[in-house]
Amino acid sequence: MTKDEAWDLASHWAAAWNGHDLDQIMSHYEDEVELISPVAAQLLGAPDGKVAGKANLRTYFKRGLDAYPELHFHLEDVLWGFNSVVLYYTNQKGSRTAEFMELSASGKVARVVANYSA
C-alpha cells in the first residue's frame, strides 16, 4: 500500500459515510469482514463489540446511520502500512476516532478495530 492508495481508500470511505450511502460504504468490505468496536457493543448489545460478516456489518452500519442522521466524518490523517491503513478522523460532535483496517489481497477491508477518544 502506498500513501496515495491509502488516502484514496480513506477519501472514498469517508465520502460514502458522509453521503449516508450504505451500498457505497459496504463496497469497501470483504464478505467475511470482522469489526471490533465499543460503539458496536453499545448499539448492538454485544459485550465483545464484535461484528462478523458483511450482512451483520451492514445491519450495524444501518443502525448507526439511523441513530445519527447528522453523522459526518472529517479525515484528519491516514497512516499506511503493509496491507493496512489507519483512518484518523473526527465526527460531527468533534469526537476523535482511529480505525485500524487490515486489507485483503483484493484491497477490501477484512478486519477493523475501532478506537475512540475518551
Side-chain angles (χ1 to χ4, degrees), residues 12 16 26 49 58 72 86 105 108 111:
H12 284 101
M26 296 311 300
R58 183 181 186 91
H72 183 85
V86 175
K108 293 196 179 221
R111 183 169 180 262

Side-chain angles (χ1 to χ4, degrees), residues 13 29 85-89 97-101 112-116:
W13 179 90
Y29 297 91
V85 295
V86 175
L87 279 55
Y88 181 64
Y89 59 91
T97 302
E99 291 195 24
F100 166 79
M101 298 178 172
V112 181
V113 179
N115 297 268
Y116 301 90

